Amino acid sequence: MRNQDKVNNKRVGNAGEDHAATFLEKRGHRILYRNYRTKSGEIDIVSEKGGVVHIVEVKTSDQISPVMPEENYTKIKARQVLHMASLFIAQENRVDVPIQIDLVA
């Protein structure tokens, strides 16, 4: 991948995360973390609504991509997000709090 492509992908991804955070906030979520780092990767957004903590994966694409963003949420990525959620629970001592994994595309 060329450097320019990486820069464009990062820009599109950041814009998608900004839109996702706004989307969630308008629906009553309180954003707890953005880009939460674990040893296995990064959780895009962690939010809370109604006593439930939401682990949110954000998928975006540019307008010229023939693939819908949600199509990039593979079984492998789902397993990775689940693992990162378990790390978050341990790191933040959220053992007794309901957790939900969401996808915003």
Side-chain angles (χ1 to χ4, degrees):
M1 179 182 290
R2 295 178 318 163
N3 193 36
Q4 182 62 30
D5 293 336
K6 289 179 186 179
V7 169
N8 187 52
N9 287 348
K10 183 71 173 161
R11 187 178 2 221
V12 170
N14 287 341
E17 288 178 15
D18 290 343
H19 287 296
T22 300
F23 172 85
L24 293 167
E25 287 173 329
K26 285 182 179 179
R27 282 152 186 82
H29 288 247
R30 183 170 58 96
I31 305 301
L32 303 177
Y33 301 99
R34 291 200 42 190
N35 307 117
Y36 184 91
R37 303 290 289 149
T38 73
K39 66 180 182 179
S40 293
E42 186 175 273
I43 299 171
D44 294 328
I45 298 172
V46 179
S47 68
E48 185 274 330
K49 180 181 178 183
V52 176
V53 172
H54 296 258
I55 305 295
V56 183
E57 175 68 14
V58 179
K59 289 295 183 186
T60 57
S61 65
D62 58 23
Q63 293 179 348
I64 59 174
S65 176
V67 177
M68 297 299 290
E70 59 270 22
E71 292 179 66
N72 290 316
Y73 191 71
T74 64
K75 287 181 183 179
I76 292 170
K77 184 62 177 182
R79 280 193 294 267
Q80 181 186 20
V81 171
L82 184 59
H83 182 66
M84 289 187 298
S86 68
L87 293 172
F88 170 83
I89 291 166
Q91 289 172 199
E92 298 296 322
N93 195 24
R94 301 284 184 133
V95 177
D96 296 329
V97 178
I99 303 285
Q100 179 173 316
I101 297 175
D102 298 317
L103 171 66
V104 176

